[in-house]
Amino acid sequence: MNPHRNVLRISIFFFLLVLLLPAATSAQAIPSPEEFFGFQMGADRKLAHWDRLLEYYDLLDEQSDRVHVMDMGESTLGNRFIVLFISSPENLARFDEYKRMNAILSDPRGHSEAEIENAIENGKVVFVQSFGLHSSEVAASQTIAEVTYDFATRNDEGTLEILENAIAIMIPCLNPDGEIMITEWYNQWVGTEYEGAGLPYLYHHYIGHDNNRDAFMRATIESEHGARIMFREWVPQGYIDHHQMGSYTARMAIPPYAEPIRPEADPLVWREMSWYGAHIGYKMDEADLKGAIGAAIYSGWGHFGFHWITPFHNIAGMLTEGASARLATPIYIHPDQLGGSRQFPEYEAQTTFPNPWPGGWWHVRDIVDMQKVATVAPLEIAAKNRKTVLRNAYNKASRQIQRGLDGEVKAFVIPAEQHDPLTMKKLINLLYGQGVTVEQAGSEFIHEGRVYGVGSFVVSMAQPKRGLIRWVLGQTYYPDNTFTRDRDGNPIRPYDLSTDNFAEFMGVRADPVMTPVEAPLTRVADWLDPDGEVTAGSNGYVMDGSLNDAFHAVNLLFEEGASVRRVAHGGEGLNPGDFIVEPGVSADAVAEIAAETGVDFAPLRGEMPEASYPIEKQRIGMYHRYLGGNMDEGWTRLLLENFDFDYTKMLDRHILEGDLHEKYDVIVLAADNKSMMTGIRAAGGGGGYGRAPDPSTIPPDFRSGFGQAGIDALQDFVRNGGTLVTFAQAGDLPIDEFDLPVRNAVAGMWGNEFWSPGSTLKVDVNNRDPYAFGMPEDALALFLASGQVYETVSGPASAGVKRIVTYKDRDILQSGWLLGEEAIANKAAMVSVEHGEGTVVLIGFRPQHRVQTHGTFKLFFNALMAVPDGH
Ligand SMILES: [Zn+2]
């Protein structure tokens, strides 16, 4: 017997054994994504499901000492939300030490020069990237699996240098729920005539595509996970969020951003974005991946989602936007379908776009290839220049502190005395959640001639996050210049709102002060969680109707079977809108509700006031359509749930059942285009489904629109005593179809005639009207481009119109951008209109926008509490 043959046999035996062994433990045995999932990441018509991706990451965590999986907790719908830490085994073993060094550089206050120099000398670059925030942009959550595998297995010089010098923190899916929804939806229809059809509902349970508008106020758990990583536990040097855009322009938008930028970040941040972006583009063209463009399409002044808020945390916060296919289905693009965009006037080569893609088939794999470069290239250059990046982390932070010391505004003082002190405390929590240093005064103090009560808060500008504080607490004027006007002088719509201001949105007073505050202050070291005080009274309790949380308390009291009344007219220490809890509810329940909501329960002194009326739990219907879902509706659901309002989600069929007044007291139409709700084509042939897709491309069960029958059912509901509440453009439906005696004064106006793209506008509030109970007389309304402003139409029905909120007569703009204020001066921002036995409440602005405008929540909440007839 040939001995060699035996050796060969034994070798084959062992080779087969290795193949057959389940999940071998040596590094060589780590399966590639292709081996694990059975297809290459980004393969046509294939999507890896989040549950399988989790299994893969757990396997990498187990088999590679370069990958560590950290569980952050759950997603909104209870799926696992994880973060991957990728670095050398040595670095991962000394994780806490590097975290400390990173903290010193991102906030050098109180640290010695030696500590700072040590952190620069020995620290590691920290770089966060996130994927799959927008679930219909399917490539990114697939890309990162392959990138992670490469880091776990490759031993080339470039990979080892990154592992040695950097800690890459990857959020492999910022919206796991949506990844699951889209993957299952896509797989359900692949191979049918509906392959590639859009998801008919929101891909985040509450907020859909707006989940990138939430880093600002963190209303969802996913945003809080991201904030914990980026704003508090780690403040990285760089951050990229990987997205997809439309299909018919460049193949990928890479850093830096286009004009205009939002000022007040450290300038190094913008230089870093250009630096990283240049390297990404450079590596793409090295690999002959055509079609990357920088400094175009996405302006630097955007919303405060993660990639646009991070610059004000001294993080080079960036975006990539790959051109989309149809979910996982490839598309064919002809050259004449390709066009330009912002700072990309023609689809032709330009400095920032030297390698135009010529058209042809476009596959998800093409996006994956580009995203892989966009993920690794910035890590490569940051690792190579580790000390420079770290020194500049220190420079960014320390220079922002110095600017805070030198600048005109030295601090914002948030007085204890507020219209709604509990909402003010929520604002303090928002600042804390952003990692901002907030201090509290232990005693009353006088500053710049004002008296501030004990418990007032001070936010000094002399801190690394000065840039952020400036925007979330200070007045904002969106730029009006050649970057924001087209060639004809018409304003160009900002990417999102034109202001993002906690204080203005929340109705909280925050005073800018020009001299440093001298009072003794203590740093806020934890979330504020105020407990309400209960003072027993034999006649019952009073709750302050100016507190948003009082509405929450009322909803909880309803669950306890309590009898609740509202004060109709003030007097004897009571204000219109205050809530009275009648005796009979258990003391334990009251104590619990006070603890949960923070609302004080004061004793009712004297008899039950005559000028009060009983309120009962209302049956609330929230209209819900398909066609991709309505984000304003989703946010409204979240708001209702946060305050424990019960509601019914109404689909078309619920409206079409009719007799709605027997089932509902209040129906809410969130901001929406009329034709998106009804499915009826607009008169004159225009409009059609608005922005909606062609119905024939939608699986039959998910086509929506309640039609004329639905309009009639809604009108019957109001005529029979129901209350219909509409936000912004949804007002078109009752105005047009019910023939209400009001018109939208800004219908069809745009540009220089009238323009208010997401601005806070000053309004007068008639807070003696039950729909405005608890509001201050002066407030700010957040007006978006699709908003409405109301004028009464003369005629017999006009007596039933009540102007509840009215724009000021001049100087209407608080923050943002406003052109043509004459168009809205003295006109109504919110009206109630009697119609038959019922009422239509038209709110032309956004009283509950993204669960952010706490200052006007009550204008909505009041409509959800019984309002007496003929109020
Ligand atoms: Zn996106």
Side-chain angles (χ1 to χ4, degrees), residues 134 137 209 243-244 321:
H134 286 159
E137 302 161 15
H209 191 87
H243 284 253
Q244 287 172 221
E321 293 273 357

Side-chain angles (χ1 to χ4, degrees), residues 419-423 505-507 544-552 566 576-577 579 639 643 645 765 767 769-776 779 804-805 830 841 843 845 847-848 853-865 867:
H419 182 79
D420 179 351
L422 291 175
T423 294
F505 286 12
M506 299 176 84
D544 182 350
S546 60
L547 304 172
N548 287 347
D549 291 305
F551 291 82
H552 188 189
R566 265 194 119 172
F579 295 97
L639 175 67
F643 285 83
F645 282 97
V765 180
N767 58 12
D769 187 296
Y771 285 109
F773 276 171
M775 287 290 294
I804 296 160
V805 180
M830 171 179 176
V841 179
I843 308 180
F845 56 96
Q848 49 26 302
T853 50
H854 296 244
T856 48
F857 285 173
K858 282 185 284 281
L859 294 171
F860 176 39
F861 289 170
N862 282 322
L864 306 177
M865 294 284 166
V867 170

Side-chain angles (χ1 to χ4, degrees), residues 104-105 108 116 120 389-399:
I104 290 170
L105 296 178
I116 291 160
I120 293 169
V389 171
L390 294 182
R391 183 165 299 282
N392 284 329
Y394 165 71
N395 282 334
K396 287 183 285 186
S398 58
R399 289 173 188 176

Side-chain angles (χ1 to χ4, degrees), residues 366-413:
D366 297 318
I367 312 168
V368 170
D369 284 336
M370 294 186 94
Q371 283 179 340
K372 284 183 71 178
V373 173
T375 306
V376 176
L379 292 171
E380 181 182 282
I381 195 171
K384 241 180 239 311
N385 295 278
R386 179 184 63 86
K387 277 204 244 177
T388 303
V389 171
L390 294 182
R391 183 165 299 282
N392 284 329
Y394 165 71
N395 282 334
K396 287 183 285 186
S398 58
R399 289 173 188 176
Q400 285 291 67
I401 296 170
Q402 191 59 43
R403 288 185 190 103
L405 287 168
D406 296 345
E408 193 187 1
V409 174
K410 301 289 192 250
F412 286 88
V413 181

Side-chain angles (χ1 to χ4, degrees), residues 50-113:
W50 181 240
D51 293 347
R52 283 287 283 162
L53 286 162
L54 285 171
E55 288 172 29
Y56 188 60
Y57 293 125
D58 286 339
L59 187 71
L60 291 178
D61 176 83
E62 202 181 288
Q63 297 199 352
S64 167
D65 48 10
R66 299 172 179 178
V67 177
H68 171 63
V69 173
M70 185 171 92
D71 269 278
M72 297 287 291
E74 290 189 343
S75 67
T76 295
L77 296 182
N79 291 296
R80 264 178 81 195
F81 189 106
I82 61 164
V83 173
L84 310 170
F85 291 84
I86 300 173
S87 195
S88 71
E90 299 73 32
N91 293 347
L92 290 179
R94 295 170 60 200
F95 192 70
D96 290 335
E97 202 176 318
Y98 293 119
K99 195 174 181 177
R100 255 195 318 278
M101 287 192 236
N102 183 73
I104 290 170
L105 296 178
S106 60
D107 187 356
R109 287 176 296 173
H111 293 287
S112 68
E113 211 182 309

Side-chain angles (χ1 to χ4, degrees), residues 565-632:
R565 301 177 70 85
R566 265 194 119 172
V567 175
H569 304 292
E572 295 169 47
L574 297 173
N575 292 310
D578 283 349
F579 295 97
I580 298 171
V581 188
E582 296 190 42
V585 58
S586 85
D588 285 353
V590 169
E592 230 170 81
I593 292 168
E596 180 172 346
T597 61
V599 174
D600 291 341
F601 285 71
L604 175 67
R605 314 243 177 238
E607 296 300 302
M608 185 64 62
E610 269 180 43
S612 69
Y613 56 90
I615 54 173
E616 276 173 14
K617 182 170 168 170
Q618 300 289 283
R619 298 163 302 171
I620 301 167
M622 205 43 241
Y623 174 60
H624 180 93
R625 66 152 163 85
Y626 292 131
L627 307 180
N630 174 3
M631 291 182 281
D632 195 54

